Each structure stands twice: as structure tokens, then as C-alpha cells.
Amino acid sequence: MNPPPTAAILIAMISCVASLATGGLHPVIIVPGSGGNQLEGRLTEDYKTHSPFCRRWRKEEEENGGWFRLWFDPSVLLGPFTKCFAERMTLRYDPVLDDYRNAPGVVTRVRNFGSTESLLYLDPNLKHITTYMAPLVDSLEQIGYVDGQTLFGAPYDWRYGLAAPGHPSKVGSKFLEDLKSLIEDASHSNGGKPVILLSHSLGGLFTHQLLIRNPPVWRQKYIKHFVALSAPWGGTVQEMLTFASGYTLDVPLVNPLLVRDEQRSSESNLWLLPAPWLFDHEKMLVVTPGGSYSRNNISNFLRDIGFSQGVGPYETRILPMVRNLTAPEVNVTCVVGSGVRTAETLFYGEKGFDQQPEILYGDGDGTVNMASLAAVESWWGGVEDQSLKMIKLDGVSHTSVLKDDVAVGKVVDEIVAINSQLLGMVSI
């Protein structure tokens, strides 16, 4: 067990919090995970629907120029509207353009870029059940951070992902450009102080790509530290369940088959499939009466579940990007949950992929396998100019790292330590 901080270190940490009066805090930018910020939609005349339910015109739309909250909308809990939701959220891969786009007639936007507002709750009218970043943001504000001044949010359309060099990824690449500009602006408006990047889940993969796609001189100037919460560095077995049978994200009453095609269409979901360099190459991740699938035959898995149209983008856009987890050469702290039952092998019976599988569980945070959460330990552990710290929290799940009092306290302690230049001296 690590010894508690000394009195001198505690005094220094308190003095770091008090440094707000002298403008001493490094700005923090929060990059959320998949589904971790509000998303708005608008329907045009090109929108074609299977049902009159999907053409409804609501008061919210009338008051906002046709815009409505696409995510999270509580009407998704009702069967007919679940189909509408899936229809509007579905992406289309255009093999000619080699890129993804929205369904015809659906326009989407992310509001309040630069603020944490759309990260706090997925539906501000249902705060209690759609809380996301609010507890963490509140805790950061208690130590002196101010939204829009020293604390910033980077919401994005998390359905879209990124692609390997040589392949267009219009939406994802635009987000990286916007995030880079936000980092530079946050630094400039705070006396040139480099920025602390704080990500959750998929946001960690975007942040990592931003770092390795920019030169070392830029990173050295603008990045103080990268704190990654629950990052799925090598994908998850859970994602194979999502592709095979659909996954409701624990939203009650929703039939997973109604959202399966929409989830398969997501560019970022392809990115979250188990990476070929992770897991034991002999370990079967999915087992069926007709065959089994390991990390090495994901393409066959996609074909056999009836999603052959995903094989091309997966092999050409995703695989080359994830094959090498390049060290970002900035200070990194990973905060991960452990000891939570996490899907390790999926067993499908004679009824096939239209049924939910039997599951063999292993270690992880309930969503991401421990092998993926801790992958950077082996990849970056001995890399020169790469500082890496792992904080493992027993019993903390993938999303409770943002809400659990102990977990949030650990994250805030880390931010305080980074600000006070005591990182590495304080055992957490």
C-alpha cells in the first residue's frame, strides 16, 4: 500500500487550489466518450421515413428553427420512436467518396463547443437519469476551475471516427482541427500555460490521435498532461456483441435489434472492435455452432453476422490506424476501473445472432476489458520520453469513474497534483 502524502505535500496541494487568485491553474479541456454529449438534428425535405411517427413536428422544433435533441431523446424508449431514432442516427458509408455521411435528409450539429454545458447531462430535462460529466465538472469547479475560462468542453459527433492516412474522414478530421484550435486558444487566454487534456472512453482515442498527428514541438508547447479515463486502447469484446446482437447501453425497454443496424453503421464503433495486437491470439472472443472468432478474424465475423458492407472500411480505414499504438510523448495518466465483470467471450446458440448471447466474464470496468485498459503499460512502458502513470480503482465501472465519489476524488487529486508540479511525488 502506498504511504499517505506528507504534510508538506498536502500543504502544497492546498496552495495549488488557492492559486486561482493568481491565475495559476493550467486550463483543462474535457473530451467526452461515445454518447457523452448532446447531439441535435434537423430534418429536410430529402428525409424519407418508414413511418408517420418519424415526421412529427414538436414544439421544441418550432422554437428552435427545426432543430431538436437527437441524443438523448427519451422517446427512444417507445418502440415506434426507437425505429425513428435509429433511422435518423444511421450513417451511410459512400465507397466512392470513401467516407461516411448522415442519412439523406438528416442534418446534425453539436452545440456549445468550448463549453462543458452539453457534457453535463444528456437531457437537461432529465438530469437525474442522464447525468454524465456533471459530478466531475462540479468537483473541478470546486477547486477553482471556471467554465469557458479555465475549463472547456470539446463535444463532437461521436458516431463518426477517424481513418488511417490516405483515407478521408471529413467529420472526425474537422473535430481534430477544432480541438487543436481550442487547445491553442485556451493556452493563449491563460497566459501561455499548456493544457491538461482530460478524456473519457472513446475521447481518449481521439485525443491520442490528435497528439500523434501533430509534431513534438507543438505538443511540448501546448500540452501539459493527458489524463485518460477508461480509454479502450485496444477495443472491447463488448463491441462484438453490439455488432452481432445490438446493445441498448443499458437503456431499459429498448429492443436491441431495433438499434443494431444503426450501431453497425457507426464509424466509431468499427474503431472499437478488438485490435489485432491485443488479447491472446488463440483466445476465442465469439463462439457459435458454426465457427469461432478470435482477434485475427474480425472480418469473417462481420461477414457472418450479415454485415459484409463493413469489411471494406474496417480493413482499409481502421486496421492500419490501430495496428500501432504510438506513444504520444507527453505526460500521461490513465485512470481505469477494475474488478467489474466484463464480457470476455460471447456464446451464441442455434438461434444465431438475433438472440443475446451467453457471456463468459473476465476483469475490466464492465465495458472495456482490462487487457485493453492497460494495453499502454506494455506499449509505452519503456519508451524514451514517455511518462506513464496507471491508477486502477477496484470496483469502479466504465461510467462510474465520472460519478463515484472516490473515483472523482482521485481524478481531481491528479489534476491538483499536475497543477502543483508534484506529479510522481504524490501516491494516489
XYZ file of all heavy atoms in Angstrom, residues 278-334:
445
model
N -4.093 -7.104 -29.679
C -4.483 -7.288 -28.293
C -5.083 -8.682 -28.090
O -5.375 -9.388 -29.055
C -5.507 -6.222 -27.900
C -5.787 -6.041 -26.405
C -4.533 -5.534 -25.702
C -6.925 -5.059 -26.201
N -5.236 -9.075 -26.849
C -5.797 -10.361 -26.483
C -4.892 -11.502 -26.972
O -4.065 -11.323 -27.865
C -7.225 -10.552 -27.028
C -8.192 -9.490 -26.594
C -8.517 -8.436 -27.433
C -8.789 -9.541 -25.352
C -9.403 -7.451 -27.044
C -9.679 -8.562 -24.946
C -9.981 -7.513 -25.789
N -5.085 -12.657 -26.413
C -4.349 -13.849 -26.821
C -4.839 -14.270 -28.202
O -6.048 -14.371 -28.435
C -4.594 -14.960 -25.793
C -3.766 -16.211 -26.060
O -3.398 -16.453 -27.224
O -3.506 -16.956 -25.101
N -3.911 -14.515 -29.134
C -4.330 -14.850 -30.500
C -5.087 -16.171 -30.572
O -5.794 -16.443 -31.547
C -3.115 -14.890 -31.437
C -2.217 -16.062 -31.232
N -1.293 -16.116 -30.197
C -2.104 -17.239 -31.898
C -0.636 -17.272 -30.252
N -1.105 -17.961 -31.265
N -4.956 -17.015 -29.551
C -5.673 -18.286 -29.531
C -7.004 -18.184 -28.802
O -7.799 -19.123 -28.826
C -4.810 -19.363 -28.874
C -3.531 -19.683 -29.643
C -2.719 -20.786 -28.978
O -3.085 -21.171 -27.845
O -1.750 -21.244 -29.601
N -7.254 -17.067 -28.167
C -8.483 -16.911 -27.384
C -9.664 -16.614 -28.299
O -9.622 -15.692 -29.115
C -8.325 -15.787 -26.360
C -9.552 -15.597 -25.472
C -9.313 -14.537 -24.432
C -10.533 -14.370 -23.544
N -10.902 -15.609 -22.849
N -10.729 -17.374 -28.140
C -11.929 -17.149 -28.924
C -12.788 -16.086 -28.232
O -13.139 -16.211 -27.055
C -12.730 -18.441 -29.069
C -12.018 -19.528 -29.882
S -11.692 -19.024 -31.597
C -9.901 -18.791 -31.539
N -13.111 -15.045 -28.958
C -13.903 -13.957 -28.414
C -15.395 -14.178 -28.634
O -16.226 -13.750 -27.823
C -13.483 -12.628 -29.048
C -11.978 -12.314 -28.966
C -11.685 -10.975 -29.641
C -11.500 -12.309 -27.525
N -15.731 -14.853 -29.729
C -17.122 -15.214 -30.038
C -17.148 -16.671 -30.478
O -16.345 -17.079 -31.326
C -17.716 -14.319 -31.151
C -19.132 -14.763 -31.511
C -17.723 -12.855 -30.721
N -18.066 -17.432 -29.903
C -18.187 -18.855 -30.220
C -19.614 -19.135 -30.670
O -20.575 -18.743 -29.990
C -17.843 -19.731 -28.995
C -18.037 -21.211 -29.326
C -16.406 -19.478 -28.537
N -19.759 -19.790 -31.834
C -21.064 -20.162 -32.362
C -21.027 -21.619 -32.807
O -19.939 -22.190 -32.968
C -21.445 -19.283 -33.574
O -20.699 -19.722 -34.720
C -21.150 -17.813 -33.323
N -22.188 -22.229 -33.036
C -22.191 -23.616 -33.545
C -21.488 -23.759 -34.885
O -20.974 -24.825 -35.220
C -23.688 -23.933 -33.660
C -24.351 -23.035 -32.677
C -23.549 -21.770 -32.699
N -21.446 -22.676 -35.655
C -20.849 -22.747 -36.983
C -19.410 -22.295 -37.064
O -18.777 -22.411 -38.113
N -18.862 -21.782 -35.975
C -17.483 -21.319 -36.013
C -17.184 -20.381 -34.861
O -18.087 -19.940 -34.145
N -15.901 -20.084 -34.701
C -15.460 -19.213 -33.613
C -14.586 -18.098 -34.177
O -13.993 -18.237 -35.256
C -14.689 -20.022 -32.569
O -15.497 -21.042 -32.015
N -14.474 -17.022 -33.408
C -13.789 -15.837 -33.899
C -12.835 -15.311 -32.831
O -13.221 -15.096 -31.687
C -14.802 -14.753 -34.273
C -15.875 -15.247 -35.210
C -17.061 -15.793 -34.711
C -15.692 -15.206 -36.583
C -18.041 -16.266 -35.557
C -16.670 -15.676 -37.453
C -17.843 -16.216 -36.928
O -18.805 -16.694 -37.779
N -11.597 -15.107 -33.250
C -10.582 -14.523 -32.374
C -10.286 -13.111 -32.862
O -10.947 -12.592 -33.762
C -9.303 -15.370 -32.407
O -8.659 -15.227 -33.666
N -9.251 -12.512 -32.299
C -8.846 -11.169 -32.721
C -8.403 -11.150 -34.178
O -8.363 -10.087 -34.804
C -7.703 -10.690 -31.848
C -6.418 -11.469 -32.101
C -5.274 -11.044 -31.236
N -4.015 -11.592 -31.747
C -2.845 -11.435 -31.159
N -2.759 -10.747 -30.037
N -1.751 -11.936 -31.691
N -8.038 -12.311 -34.714
C -7.421 -12.378 -36.042
C -8.417 -12.522 -37.186
O -8.017 -12.439 -38.349
C -6.427 -13.547 -36.108
C -5.265 -13.355 -35.155
O -4.744 -12.254 -35.028
N -4.867 -14.417 -34.468
N -9.691 -12.793 -36.875
C -10.639 -12.959 -37.981
C -11.904 -12.129 -37.775
O -13.020 -12.615 -37.938
C -10.981 -14.438 -38.202
C -11.465 -15.131 -36.941
O -11.609 -14.507 -35.895
N -11.740 -16.425 -37.059
N -11.699 -10.873 -37.422
C -12.813 -9.945 -37.252
C -13.566 -9.749 -38.564
O -14.788 -9.608 -38.585
C -12.324 -8.592 -36.698
C -11.654 -8.764 -35.331
C -13.475 -7.604 -36.607
C -12.562 -9.237 -34.234
N -12.841 -9.749 -39.674
C -13.506 -9.574 -40.971
C -14.499 -10.702 -41.224
O -15.624 -10.465 -41.698
C -12.474 -9.510 -42.092
O -11.694 -8.339 -42.006
N -14.104 -11.943 -40.928
C -15.033 -13.058 -41.090
C -16.235 -12.912 -40.166
O -17.371 -13.253 -40.530
C -14.320 -14.384 -40.798
C -13.327 -14.752 -41.880
O -13.400 -14.251 -43.005
N -12.380 -15.616 -41.554
N -15.988 -12.434 -38.969
C -17.068 -12.194 -38.023
C -18.075 -11.204 -38.605
O -19.299 -11.436 -38.552
C -16.486 -11.662 -36.707
C -17.495 -11.077 -35.772
C -18.328 -11.895 -35.028
C -17.601 -9.695 -35.617
C -19.276 -11.343 -34.156
C -18.530 -9.140 -34.754
C -19.378 -9.967 -34.020
N -17.601 -10.107 -39.179
C -18.501 -9.113 -39.755
C -19.318 -9.708 -40.897
O -20.518 -9.428 -41.031
C -17.702 -7.905 -40.242
C -17.017 -7.065 -39.156
C -16.158 -5.971 -39.786
C -18.030 -6.450 -38.202
N -18.682 -10.523 -41.720
C -19.420 -11.168 -42.817
C -20.496 -12.108 -42.273
O -21.644 -12.110 -42.748
C -18.460 -11.950 -43.707
C -17.497 -11.099 -44.510
C -16.716 -11.944 -45.497
N -15.680 -11.163 -46.154
C -14.405 -11.122 -45.755
N -14.019 -11.834 -44.687
N -13.536 -10.385 -46.406
N -20.136 -12.894 -41.283
C -21.040 -13.942 -40.807
C -22.221 -13.402 -40.018
O -23.262 -14.070 -39.912
C -20.265 -14.966 -39.971
C -19.288 -15.786 -40.813
O -19.394 -15.727 -42.063
O -18.429 -16.478 -40.237
N -22.106 -12.212 -39.441
C -23.255 -11.626 -38.756
C -24.168 -10.903 -39.744
O -25.216 -10.373 -39.355
C -22.829 -10.647 -37.634
C -22.087 -9.437 -38.213
C -22.005 -11.365 -36.576
C -21.796 -8.346 -37.189
N -23.774 -10.869 -41.026
C -24.598 -10.216 -42.037
C -24.245 -8.773 -42.284
O -25.064 -8.000 -42.786
N -23.016 -8.393 -41.978
C -22.579 -7.007 -42.165
C -21.329 -6.974 -43.041
O -20.321 -6.384 -42.691
C -22.325 -6.349 -40.802
C -22.035 -4.869 -40.872
C -22.911 -4.003 -41.508
C -20.891 -4.352 -40.293
C -22.638 -2.642 -41.574
C -20.611 -2.996 -40.346
C -21.489 -2.143 -40.994
N -21.422 -7.591 -44.200
C -20.267 -7.650 -45.103
C -19.871 -6.267 -45.604
O -18.700 -6.035 -45.948
C -20.572 -8.573 -46.293
O -21.717 -8.117 -46.997
N -20.823 -5.309 -45.631
C -20.500 -3.963 -46.107
C -19.556 -3.234 -45.168
O -18.971 -2.210 -45.531
C -21.767 -3.142 -46.323
C -22.626 -2.928 -45.094
C -23.717 -3.970 -44.945
O -23.488 -5.155 -45.158
N -24.914 -3.523 -44.593
N -19.378 -3.766 -43.964
C -18.445 -3.149 -43.034
C -17.013 -3.633 -43.183
O -16.087 -3.034 -42.619
N -16.814 -4.699 -43.949
C -15.477 -5.300 -44.059
C -14.496 -4.366 -44.753
O -13.360 -4.186 -44.294
C -15.548 -6.651 -44.801
C -14.142 -7.213 -45.036
C -16.388 -7.647 -44.004
N -14.918 -3.763 -45.858
C -14.020 -2.865 -46.589
C -13.527 -1.704 -45.740
O -12.314 -1.489 -45.614
N -14.434 -0.922 -45.143
C -13.981 0.169 -44.279
C -13.128 -0.316 -43.113
O -12.151 0.343 -42.739
C -15.295 0.791 -43.779
C -16.298 0.446 -44.812
C -15.895 -0.901 -45.338
N -13.481 -1.459 -42.539
C -12.714 -1.982 -41.415
C -11.281 -2.303 -41.837
O -10.318 -1.919 -41.151
C -13.389 -3.228 -40.852
C -12.571 -3.955 -39.816
C -12.406 -3.429 -38.537
C -11.938 -5.158 -40.125
C -11.633 -4.088 -37.585
C -11.169 -5.819 -39.180
C -11.017 -5.284 -37.912
O -10.245 -5.935 -36.984
N -11.117 -2.968 -42.959
C -9.787 -3.414 -43.382
C -8.931 -2.276 -43.922
O -7.706 -2.286 -43.722
C -9.923 -4.510 -44.442
C -10.490 -5.812 -43.901
C -10.549 -6.925 -44.939
O -10.449 -6.606 -46.151
O -10.702 -8.094 -44.559
N -9.546 -1.309 -44.585
C -8.750 -0.256 -45.229
C -8.604 1.004 -44.384
O -7.557 1.661 -44.422
C -9.372 0.132 -46.582
O -10.707 0.653 -46.364
C -9.438 -1.068 -47.509
N -9.631 1.333 -43.595
C -9.627 2.587 -42.840
C -9.216 2.401 -41.379
O -8.517 3.237 -40.819
C -11.017 3.234 -42.893
C -11.456 3.643 -44.290
C -12.942 3.996 -44.320
N -13.268 5.082 -43.416
C -13.168 6.372 -43.722
N -12.735 6.742 -44.930
N -13.488 7.302 -42.846
N -9.688 1.306 -40.775
C -9.499 1.118 -39.340
C -8.223 0.345 -39.007
O -7.392 0.796 -38.202
C -10.713 0.409 -38.723
C -12.002 1.208 -38.980
C -10.491 0.173 -37.225
C -11.994 2.587 -38.373
N -8.045 -0.822 -39.600
C -6.912 -1.677 -39.232
C -5.560 -0.979 -39.320
O -4.753 -1.075 -38.382
C -6.912 -2.950 -40.083
C -7.773 -4.103 -39.568
C -7.619 -5.325 -40.479
C -7.413 -4.477 -38.135
N -5.263 -0.269 -40.414
C -3.946 0.390 -40.459
C -3.766 1.444 -39.373
O -2.642 1.714 -38.948
C -3.923 1.036 -41.856
C -4.932 0.269 -42.652
C -6.005 -0.089 -41.678
N -4.877 2.022 -38.909
C -4.793 3.070 -37.892
C -4.524 2.484 -36.507
O -3.820 3.095 -35.696
C -6.099 3.882 -37.875
C -6.117 5.023 -36.874
S -7.576 6.092 -37.012
C -8.905 4.946 -36.635
N -5.081 1.311 -36.218
C -4.991 0.772 -34.853
C -3.847 -0.218 -34.661
O -3.606 -0.659 -33.539
C -6.319 0.096 -34.439
C -7.464 1.057 -34.555
C -6.587 -1.165 -35.265
N -3.137 -0.562 -35.730
C -2.108 -1.595 -35.604
C -0.926 -1.154 -34.743
O -0.211 -1.984 -34.200
C -1.608 -2.003 -36.993
C -2.523 -3.018 -37.680
C -1.801 -3.766 -38.795
N -2.595 -4.864 -39.272
C -3.234 -4.888 -40.442
N -3.145 -3.832 -41.244
N -3.935 -5.936 -40.804
N -0.727 0.136 -34.629
C 0.421 0.621 -33.871
C -0.017 1.714 -32.907
O -0.438 2.789 -33.328
C 1.500 1.162 -34.827
C 2.793 1.464 -34.092
O 2.970 1.097 -32.933
N 3.698 2.131 -34.768
N 0.079 1.439 -31.616
C -0.336 2.396 -30.600
C 0.856 3.291 -30.247
O 1.512 3.134 -29.227
C -0.848 1.648 -29.369
C -1.631 2.448 -28.325
C -2.891 3.045 -28.940
C -1.999 1.563 -27.148
N 1.128 4.250 -31.115
C 2.295 5.114 -30.981
C 2.246 5.928 -29.689
O 1.209 6.494 -29.342
C 2.369 6.080 -32.177
O 2.360 5.324 -33.380
C 3.621 6.934 -32.113
N 3.373 5.998 -28.994
C 3.455 6.798 -27.778
C 3.336 8.279 -28.129
O 3.998 8.755 -29.058
C 4.769 6.535 -27.051
N 2.521 9.050 -27.390
C 2.326 10.468 -27.719
C 3.456 11.373 -27.229
O 3.492 12.546 -27.582
C 1.020 10.809 -27.003
C 0.992 9.887 -25.832
C 1.630 8.602 -26.309
N 4.346 10.845 -26.385
C 5.492 11.604 -25.865
C 5.058 12.864 -25.122
O 5.663 13.933 -25.256
C 6.477 11.925 -26.985
C 7.082 10.673 -27.607
C 8.069 10.974 -28.719
O 8.168 12.151 -29.123
O 8.737 10.037 -29.184
N 3.973 12.732 -24.351
C 3.570 13.733 -23.372
C 3.295 12.972 -22.080
O 3.145 11.747 -22.083
C 2.311 14.512 -23.801
C 2.542 15.236 -25.119
C 1.101 13.600 -23.896
N 3.243 13.665 -20.967
C 2.920 13.014 -19.706
C 1.497 12.454 -19.758
O 0.553 13.179 -20.111
C 3.038 13.998 -18.547
C 4.473 14.434 -18.313
O 5.406 13.664 -18.490
N 4.648 15.690 -17.911
N 1.354 11.177 -19.413
C 0.051 10.513 -19.490
C -0.278 9.865 -18.155
O 0.570 9.201 -17.546
C 0.031 9.443 -20.597
C -1.316 8.697 -20.597
C 0.290 10.053 -21.967
N -1.518 10.046 -17.706
C -2.061 9.309 -16.578
C -3.320 8.593 -17.045
O -4.205 9.230 -17.629
C -2.422 10.236 -15.397
O -1.239 10.871 -14.918
C -3.052 9.443 -14.257
N -3.386 7.289 -16.821
C -4.577 6.514 -17.145
C -5.301 6.152 -15.852
O -4.688 5.597 -14.931
C -4.208 5.236 -17.891
S -3.457 5.509 -19.508
